[in-house]
Amino acid sequence: MRLREWTAVQTRFDPSVVDRVIARIEHVEGRPFTVAVDGPGGSGKSTLAGELAAAFPGRAIVVHGDDFYADLDAEYRASLDAGAGYREYFDWRRLRDQVLAPARAGAAIEYQRYDWDNARIGDWVTVPDTDLLVVEGVYSSRPELRDLSDLVLWVTTSEDVRRRRQIDRQENDGIWISRWMAAEDYYLRNIHRVGPDDIEVLGE
């Protein structure tokens, strides 16, 4: 189960990076402070999200963007070009309606996550009450979602490092890694803009 409350982990980012983010987190009455950790695959988002949640002095929960992979027909998914991949590979509406919007309203959070082993939408997950909600995943600060987070982190590193990390994971074949990276590049070139209050982080 990917959702869990975080305890101390091996740090891979300079502690000053985590300290800089924690200094920006504020208490919000009646709801969690929400941080979106965005950036391309293999850049270090999940590592930073875990380190941030582990270092936070209160209750912290990490929700992973991979849980919102869209339940698409395999042939249709393979037919998508980079722009369509950005729009359709991940179900941002489910992330908005089941996690980000309820968090913003101080309501209970319950979401249905994608079952990668069986290639279908899977179990429902109930998020415990928390002081800090970290949502990590590429496209987590896309225009339709940005205003639902209190703080946006943008994590990136070189394309060569990102590709190597994804290959080393042995979770996906080279064709799909190239397709996902093409969709992410489309997002970087055409959609994503770093906001004036965002924190940019270079992944290790």
Side-chain angles (χ1 to χ4, degrees):
M1 183 174 180
R2 294 182 180 183
L3 175 71
R4 63 186 176 93
E5 296 192 47
W6 287 80
T7 54
V9 293
Q10 179 85 26
T11 299
R12 297 181 185 175
F13 283 83
D14 189 302
S16 65
V17 172
V18 176
D19 290 344
R20 181 158 59 105
V21 176
I22 288 179
R24 293 276 300 276
I25 296 172
E26 302 174 355
H27 173 74
V28 183
E29 189 65 37
R31 67 171 179 85
F33 187 97
T34 301
V35 176
V37 184
D38 199 347
S43 60
K45 298 182 301 298
S46 59
T47 297
L48 180 58
E51 292 176 1
L52 174 61
F56 182 68
R59 298 169 298 176
I61 292 290
V62 176
V63 170
H64 298 275
D66 285 353
D67 288 344
F68 297 88
Y69 195 52
D71 189 11
L72 301 175
D73 174 78
E75 185 175 348
Y76 174 73
R77 182 185 288 113
S79 74
L80 300 176
D81 63 16
Y86 155 69
R87 291 187 292 272
E88 298 195 47
Y89 285 154
F90 289 87
D91 190 348
W92 64 266
R93 294 174 179 84
R94 184 156 48 94
L95 176 58
R96 178 195 63 192
D97 296 344
Q98 296 180 0
V99 176
L100 292 170
R104 195 71 168 186
I109 301 171
E110 188 176 27
Y111 68 91
Q112 201 168 12
R113 62 182 177 180
Y114 188 78
D115 180 347
W116 287 84
D117 292 334
N118 296 297
R120 60 175 176 81
I121 298 295
D123 297 336
W124 284 89
V125 175
T126 300
V127 177
D129 289 340
T130 188
D131 304 307
L132 173 64
L133 176 67
V134 183
V135 178
E136 71 85 17
V138 64
Y139 316 130
S140 60
S141 68
R142 59 184 292 157
E144 298 90 346
L145 304 178
R146 172 173 279 273
D147 289 345
L148 293 172
S149 291
D150 299 295
L151 178 63
V152 172
L153 311 185
W154 179 256
V155 187
T156 191
T157 189
S158 72
E159 181 176 342
D160 288 344
V161 170
R162 291 190 285 112
R163 184 178 293 274
R164 175 178 54 77
R165 286 175 176 171
Q166 293 185 73
I167 292 171
D168 289 348
R169 291 171 185 167
Q170 299 183 344
E171 295 175 342
N172 304 289
D173 63 33
I175 292 175
W176 271 109
I177 290 173
S178 294
R179 286 173 175 161
W180 283 324
M181 291 185 74
E184 292 168 354
D185 288 343
Y186 176 90
Y187 176 52
L188 292 172
R189 291 193 307 269
N190 299 287
I191 308 296
H192 176 74
R193 298 292 181 270
V194 177
D197 296 323
D198 294 358
I199 297 178
E200 296 183 76
V201 179
L202 179 62
E204 297 295 329

